[in-house]
Amino acid sequence: MSSARSSAADPVAADRPELAAIREFMLIDGKPVHEGQGQPVPVHDPATGRIIAHQPDAGPAQVDLAVQAARRAFDSGTWRDMLPAGRERLLLKLADLIEQNGVELARLETLNNGKLLGIAQGLEVGASAQWLRYMAGWATKITGDTLSLSIPFPPGTHYHAYTLAQPVGVVGAIIPWNFPLLMAVWKIAPALAAGCTVVLKPAEETPLTALRLAELVMQAGFPPGVVNVITGRGETAGAALVAHPGIDKIAFTGSTEVGKLIGRRAMDDMKRVSLELGGKSPVIVLDDCDVDRAVQGAAAAIFFNQGQVCTAGSRLYVQRGLYAKVVQGLADVASSMTLGSGFDPATQIGPLISSRHQQRVLDYIGIGRAEGGRVLTGGAAGEGDGYFVRPTVFADVPQHGRIAQEEIFGPVVVAQPFDSLDDAVRLANDSAFGLGASIWSNDLTRVQRLIPRIDAGTVWVNTHNMLDPNMPFGGFKQSGVGREHGKAVLEMYLEKKSVCMAY
Ligand code: NAD
């Protein structure tokens, strides 16, 4: 076991509650399960490279246990037939428990993911509680429709027709490592509000907060089996979950490559499927913008969470008259950023998630150079044993180069100038992805003309990465299928049943 973990007994660890919160098991039917198949999966602290835990790698047998537990909890009606106000109360209780355990959860996330502690507190903990409270409200507001029929047959017969919205069943939820606790909540909150039960598989890199979340689910008083967490690798635990016949729906967030695999496999037995996938979101800066605000906004759009954000503003298009000024301004911000541990309040850029991902991002930087991109700042690993990459700004990148087209998922932005608004639209839409986009301008007429022409599930104006539980979120094109948040996400967890009664 690692030195970080074993120091839990150390007096110094008194102010490190995250060490005592590490769990090295799965939670199935409310009980810890320690054994997976084969070799356990090591979990790292990305700021130091040290191993902090080992997790079971769930195989088909453990996945089956978890799906059976979720199946029993669903089929018995304990959860789906609970009064909606009862489901609402439990979701609200879970939100309270997340806040009450917020210090420990945020620190655990920073330890496991490397992200800045402030972001862990505000987003992983704070936003998770907000999302649960928002979704709790929907539990009591799920409705069907009353329908009038236009061709009643035989003539003279009367019909009463309506729709029922019913939970889709057992959900297999598979999530990535970039916002581990928040992503878990984005899946379980609407599923539970709708009356579904869940088997959640966090990313193998970041299982720790999902396990504490599952413990808090039990503490809140949810019936056993309503939420189960299995750990392990994608090719083993994840694939077994997707293939399991007891799963009714797969809710996946992750890369487009894996999303396509999962979508195809899910279709073999017509499982419902929603996919939140990758992005290469454009930041479009018009020549009438507030320049300082656009520069700061473009920096936040790409460097927030080390660029490990599906909507990261990784393509910067600036109208020619402002191009040099904005791109140099962005490079100045990037070169002044402090790299370090997420626990250090002075840190602005933490480590990437893994040495493998660090190498992948550095490889892309090499590709960008080979493609003729000009590195204005960054372009190298940071110092120390952690998985750091310096914030990197590429200028004059060819539009069809790989670094302008492929998702890098790190602190790397590629910039290009444009002339007309038509050019901006053409460049922004010249991508396989369509998740987010932002427009920076003070001219509402130009903004309004652009918004409908941009292929993106979310368009921000003079802001970027702003999300809210009431705002539907999802992708055009290869960025996904379906929507999260708002009323729209509930439809992903409900089946519509038409009822027609003759009288
Ligand atoms: P990934 O696709 O490698 O893994 C995501 C999850 O899928 C992990 O839990 C992994 O274990 C699992 N998995 C991998 N192979 C699998 C398989 N064959 N069968 C079943 N499960 C499998 O993605 P990642 O590297 O963890 O996350 C980064 C990606 O996630 C980026 O592409 C990013 O854009 C995307 N993302 C999208 C959103 C969104 O809302 N659209 C949000 C966050 C991240």
Side-chain angles (χ1 to χ4, degrees):
M1 185 40 37
S2 72
S3 52
R5 179 80 168 88
S6 56
S7 66
D10 195 293
V12 180
D15 61 352
R16 299 206 55 193
E18 69 276 14
L19 297 180
I22 292 174
R23 303 287 180 265
E24 296 180 293
F25 49 71
M26 308 184 269
L27 259 176
I28 298 176
D29 214 8
K31 295 185 273 296
V33 172
H34 294 265
E35 293 299 318
Q37 64 164 19
Q39 288 298 310
V41 186
V43 179
H44 293 85
D45 168 359
T48 62
R50 287 191 316 191
I51 293 174
I52 51 172
H54 288 88
Q55 287 294 339
D57 188 14
Q62 295 78 36
V63 169
D64 186 51
L65 264 185
V67 176
Q68 298 287 355
R71 201 68 265 164
R72 275 194 304 278
F74 185 76
D75 293 341
S76 66
T78 14
W79 182 244
R80 66 184 293 187
D81 296 338
M82 184 182 280
L83 286 179
R87 292 207 302 273
E88 177 185 34
R89 227 182 347 261
L90 285 173
L91 286 163
L92 292 173
K93 179 91 186 290
L94 181 59
D96 291 345
L97 284 173
I98 286 179
E99 281 179 346
Q100 284 160 24
N101 292 273
V103 172
E104 169 203 300
L105 283 166
R107 293 186 64 91
L108 188 59
E109 205 69 287
T110 294
L111 175 70
N112 188 183
N113 172 279
K115 67 180 57 214
L116 309 192
L117 188 56
I119 293 175
Q121 283 160 341
L123 261 182
E124 303 288 352
V125 172
S128 288
Q130 294 297 337
W131 247 271
L132 278 162
R133 291 191 178 114
Y134 173 89
M135 281 299 159
W138 273 114
T140 55
K141 293 162 195 74
I142 294 168
T143 56
D145 297 311
T146 309
L147 310 170
S148 59
L149 303 187
S150 52
I151 45 167
F153 187 83
T157 313
H158 293 275
Y159 291 99
H160 174 46
Y162 61 97
T163 56
L164 281 177
Q166 297 188 312
V168 75
V170 176
V171 174
I174 301 178
I175 55 172
W177 44 257
N178 59 341
F179 291 95
L181 181 62
L182 187 63
M183 291 288 152
V185 166
W186 282 7
K187 297 295 182 233
I188 69 165
L192 298 178
C196 298
T197 61
V198 183
V199 178
L200 172 73
K201 194 203 87 64
E204 49 270 53
E205 294 87 350
T206 53
L208 299 182
T209 48
L211 288 161
R212 279 296 290 135
L213 175 69
E215 288 183 336
L216 296 178
V217 165
M218 294 311 297
Q219 194 180 329
F222 286 77
V226 169
V227 175
N228 308 273
V229 176
I230 56 163
T231 57
R233 300 182 171 89
E235 319 81 77
T236 48
L241 188 60
V242 175
H244 198 292
I247 293 285
D248 298 300
K249 179 207 160 77
I250 293 290
F252 173 76
T253 299
S255 60
T256 294
E257 185 190 351
V258 174
K260 286 180 184 175
L261 277 178
I262 287 180
R264 279 188 214 112
R265 180 64 190 87
M267 275 307 114
D268 282 349
D269 23 51
M270 287 297 156
K271 292 185 173 88
R272 277 51 185 146
V273 64
S274 47
L275 304 169
E276 294 293 337
L277 309 178
K280 189 81 178 176
S281 298
V283 172
I284 304 163
V285 179
L286 305 192
D287 57 8
D288 60 69
C289 71
D290 173 335
V291 177
D292 289 342
R293 188 170 172 183
V295 167
Q296 293 301 330
I302 182 62
F303 300 132
F304 168 60
N305 213 44
Q306 293 71 251
Q308 300 170 130
V309 180
C310 51
T311 47
S314 50
R315 292 184 291 148
L316 174 64
Y317 299 118
V318 187
Q319 203 153 13
R320 198 170 298 275
L322 280 185
Y323 179 70
K325 193 171 179 186
V326 168
V327 173
Q328 190 53 53
L330 178 61
D332 291 344
V333 175
S335 57
S336 72
M337 293 181 97
T338 307
L339 275 65
S341 158
F343 285 110
D344 183 343
T347 296
Q348 293 166 297
I349 292 269
L352 301 190
I353 190 65
S354 63
S355 61
R356 195 167 69 114
H357 188 52
Q358 179 195 34
Q359 192 52 54
R360 182 175 175 275
V361 173
L362 292 171
D363 287 348
Y364 267 113
I365 292 172
I367 291 166
R369 285 198 166 101
E371 288 174 340
R374 202 157 48 88
V375 176
L376 296 186
T377 185
E383 283 156 22
D385 293 334
Y387 314 132
F388 296 97
V389 172
R390 297 189 179 285
T392 300
V393 179
F394 268 99
D396 312 337
V397 164
Q399 172 68 11
H400 290 107
R402 286 183 61 194
I403 55 161
Q405 292 292 332
E406 296 177 18
E407 184 182 45
I408 299 175
F409 220 56
V412 181
V413 59
V414 300
Q416 279 179 60
F418 68 87
D419 293 304
S420 65
L421 293 198
D422 284 348
D423 287 342
V425 170
R426 186 179 47 76
L427 289 166
N429 290 345
D430 182 15
S431 166
F433 300 107
L435 196 56
S438 62
I439 304 168
W440 297 78
S441 166
N442 284 323
D443 183 335
L444 265 184
T445 304
R446 299 172 91 196
V447 168
Q448 291 288 12
R449 286 197 180 132
L450 279 178
I451 290 170
R453 299 178 66 195
I454 303 289
D455 296 340
T458 302
V459 176
W460 291 285
V461 179
N462 295 325
T463 185
H464 194 108
N465 278 338
M466 168 65 203
L467 299 180
D468 188 274
N470 201 27
M471 212 165 74
F473 176 78
F476 282 25
K477 303 198 276 191
Q478 295 198 26
S479 288
V481 175
R483 288 292 178 270
E484 299 214 281
H485 320 328
K487 191 179 178 186
V489 71
L490 285 172
E491 283 162 25
M492 307 283 124
Y493 293 95
L494 293 168
E495 286 279 18
K496 205 156 248 191
K497 181 181 285 173
S498 292
V499 183
C500 182
M501 302 168 65
Y503 65 96

